[in-house]
Amino acid sequence: MARLVVVQQQTQPSFSILTSSLSDFNGTRLHSQIQYKRKILQPKGGLQVTASTEKKILIMGGTRFIGVFLSRLLVKEGHQVTLFTRGKAPITQQLPGESDQDYADFSSKILHLKGDRKDFDFVKSSLSAEGFDVVYDINGREADEVEPILDALPKLEQYIYCSSAGVYLKSDLLPHCEIDAVDPKSRHKGKLNTEALLESKDVNWTSIRPVYIYGPLNYNPVEEWFFHRLKAGRPIPIPNSGVQITQLGHVKDLATAFIKVLGNEKASKQVFNISGEKYVTFDGLARACAKAGGFPEPELVHFNPKEFDFGKKKAFPFRDQHFFASVEKAKHVLGWKPEFDLVEGLTDSYNLDFGRGTFRKEADFSTDDMILGKSLVLQS
């Protein structure tokens, strides 16, 4: 039978702790590392959003990246939060700069339901036994993983789903808006099918479509890919011209958006793009990462991907195309606004993660060496 377990504070946190005078969970930056002029700013990423009533909330996932920040905001607002995971990773971890007291308070309140979401019978029995007001589905990929949750919770007040801007059909007209055509053949078609399922059911749902997400603990090699090369003093290989336009959104701004839709009538049965307000070229992103980490101006090397056979390895962490979305709907309907601009957000990520020596993947420069070793290469 399913059990809810109060997770005890970990005796060995996954990250070392620095005092709040250097860095804190709210995103204070180490200004001494930045080698360019900038204004001294107040800590960001700590926006408080008050929900109208306390809710019993289930988060599907919640121990890797987005849910780590979302769960803290929900607990601070007084909600009862349960994480549904397989239990393979620690349920809580102390964040860089997070005080011992804040971490102890959070970890004493978070609950855990251990199970596999693909075990549909277990999902139905355990969730129906507990009952939840709201579900945040952070790691759902396929529609068939969602239906058992809906069946188990007939009185569910809201289902909030983490989709992806990758569902949009490639277009010459940008930025992507929520009403744009979607691609049923995209690699995110499972998320698209999930949105269709939610729309077909008698359930109050909201879907969030992030573009590229970045920030501390990011398990996708987005900013980390650049930081590895900058730290090693290596040139940064960028496909084609480098003027391809893309978009990044900070994980703390995404977490705040997830809070903004909770219990919000204006968010009922709506889709919202969430990301940063401004767009950036590939070349500009490399330079922004250098500024964030206090590195010198990077050497950029442009290459033609068609001239190489990289096998299954990726030579660059972004899709080689223009890819960005409008966040105007979220700003006007939800009153949400990103707190981080790009360089500030990358600085927050660097100072609270890579700059402390923590990262998800070891550096692999094998594709870089292929590019740099080829004589027919376009220099920036």
Side-chain angles (χ1 to χ4, degrees):
M1 184 174 179
R3 292 187 302 135
L4 283 180
V5 180
V6 177
V7 180
Q8 299 300 317
Q9 182 175 348
Q10 304 294 316
T11 56
Q12 296 292 330
S14 301
F15 293 87
S16 60
I17 304 168
L18 276 135
T19 62
S20 59
S21 62
L22 291 178
S23 181
D24 61 33
F25 173 66
N26 289 333
T28 302
R29 287 159 291 283
L30 304 183
H31 301 289
S32 60
Q33 289 189 353
I34 308 305
Q35 301 176 352
Y36 60 97
K37 293 181 179 179
R38 59 180 299 167
K39 295 184 294 183
I40 301 299
L41 301 174
Q42 295 298 317
K44 292 189 175 184
L47 180 65
Q48 298 297 309
V49 182
T50 303
S52 56
T53 58
E54 178 184 336
K55 301 294 183 184
K56 189 174 183 181
I57 295 176
L58 175 69
I59 299 180
M60 302 300 292
T63 60
R64 294 184 72 188
F65 185 34
I66 301 171
V68 171
F69 297 95
L70 172 60
S71 59
R72 278 167 168 78
L73 291 180
L74 291 169
V75 168
K76 284 181 179 179
E77 293 303 321
H79 301 295
Q80 183 188 104
V81 180
T82 300
L83 307 183
F84 186 105
T85 78
R86 291 175 294 177
K88 294 186 176 181
I91 306 308
T92 65
Q93 58 180 311
Q94 187 164 6
L95 297 175
E98 186 177 28
S99 72
D100 291 345
Q101 182 57 51
D102 284 348
Y103 175 62
D105 183 63
F106 169 73
S107 60
S108 67
K109 294 177 180 177
I110 204 76
L111 302 172
H112 182 226
L113 185 57
K114 182 179 179 180
D116 187 340
R117 69 176 297 161
K118 293 184 179 181
D119 184 345
F120 299 154
D121 290 337
F122 174 78
V123 169
K124 288 181 181 179
S125 61
S126 60
L127 268 59
S128 60
E130 297 297 338
F132 293 96
D133 302 317
V134 177
V135 172
Y136 278 97
D137 192 348
I138 303 300
N139 62 8
R141 295 183 178 275
E142 302 294 338
D144 63 356
E145 299 172 355
V146 174
E147 197 151 15
I149 300 174
L150 300 178
D151 291 343
L153 301 170
K155 296 181 180 180
L156 187 68
E157 296 177 15
Q158 191 175 14
Y159 198 98
I160 303 172
Y161 184 61
C162 187
S163 184
S164 169
V167 302
Y168 290 114
L169 185 67
K170 189 174 180 179
S171 173
D172 293 328
L173 300 176
L174 294 167
H176 290 297
C177 296
E178 289 85 350
I179 60 173
D180 285 357
V182 292
D183 183 4
K185 297 181 180 179
S186 81
R187 69 185 187 90
H188 297 287
K189 62 183 180 181
K191 290 186 176 293
L192 193 58
N193 293 337
T194 300
E195 290 182 346
L197 172 69
L198 292 170
E199 191 169 12
S200 70
K201 296 286 186 176
D202 184 23
V203 60
N204 177 30
W205 60 271
T206 305
S207 183
I208 300 294
R209 292 177 179 172
V211 189
Y212 287 110
I213 311 168
Y214 73 107
L217 306 183
N218 192 2
Y219 56 83
N220 284 326
V222 178
E223 69 269 44
E224 179 181 290
W225 187 91
F226 291 93
F227 290 151
H228 270 307
R229 284 149 182 81
L230 290 163
K231 183 180 179 182
R234 296 177 61 96
I236 298 180
I238 295 180
N240 294 310
S241 67
V243 299
Q244 303 93 312
I245 300 173
T246 192
Q247 182 183 24
L248 288 80
H250 198 285
V251 64
K252 295 175 187 175
D253 286 331
L254 177 59
T256 301
F258 273 117
I259 294 292
K260 282 284 191 180
V261 302
L262 177 60
N264 190 336
E265 292 182 359
K266 295 179 180 178
S268 179
K269 301 183 178 181
Q270 295 293 315
V271 173
F272 296 97
N273 295 331
I274 296 294
S275 195
E277 283 188 286
K278 288 198 171 184
Y279 317 130
V280 64
T281 65
F282 288 169
D283 284 2
L285 178 55
R287 296 187 183 104
C289 286
K291 288 181 179 179
F295 296 103
E297 181 85 4
E299 177 187 355
L300 307 182
V301 176
H302 297 108
F303 68 96
N304 183 354
K306 294 181 180 179
E307 296 179 356
F308 298 88
D309 180 8
F310 298 119
K312 294 183 178 181
K313 291 188 175 181
K314 291 180 66 175
F316 194 69
F318 293 81
R319 57 183 71 186
D320 186 12
Q321 66 180 70
H322 296 308
F323 179 54
F324 51 99
S326 170
V327 296
E328 291 303 306
K329 180 179 177 181
K331 289 169 63 178
H332 291 128
V333 175
L334 302 176
W336 168 87
K337 180 179 174 63
E339 291 291 303
F340 289 94
D341 69 24
L342 183 59
V343 173
E344 292 170 351
L346 289 169
T347 303
D348 178 78
S349 179
Y350 184 85
N351 289 342
L352 297 181
D353 199 353
F354 192 91
R356 298 180 177 221
T358 56
F359 46 83
R360 313 292 87 75
K361 295 183 179 180
E362 295 287 345
D364 180 357
F365 302 130
S366 57
T367 57
D368 300 44
D369 292 339
M370 293 174 62
I371 295 164
L372 298 173
K374 189 175 179 64
S375 57
L376 297 177
V377 65
L378 298 174
Q379 296 291 336
S380 64

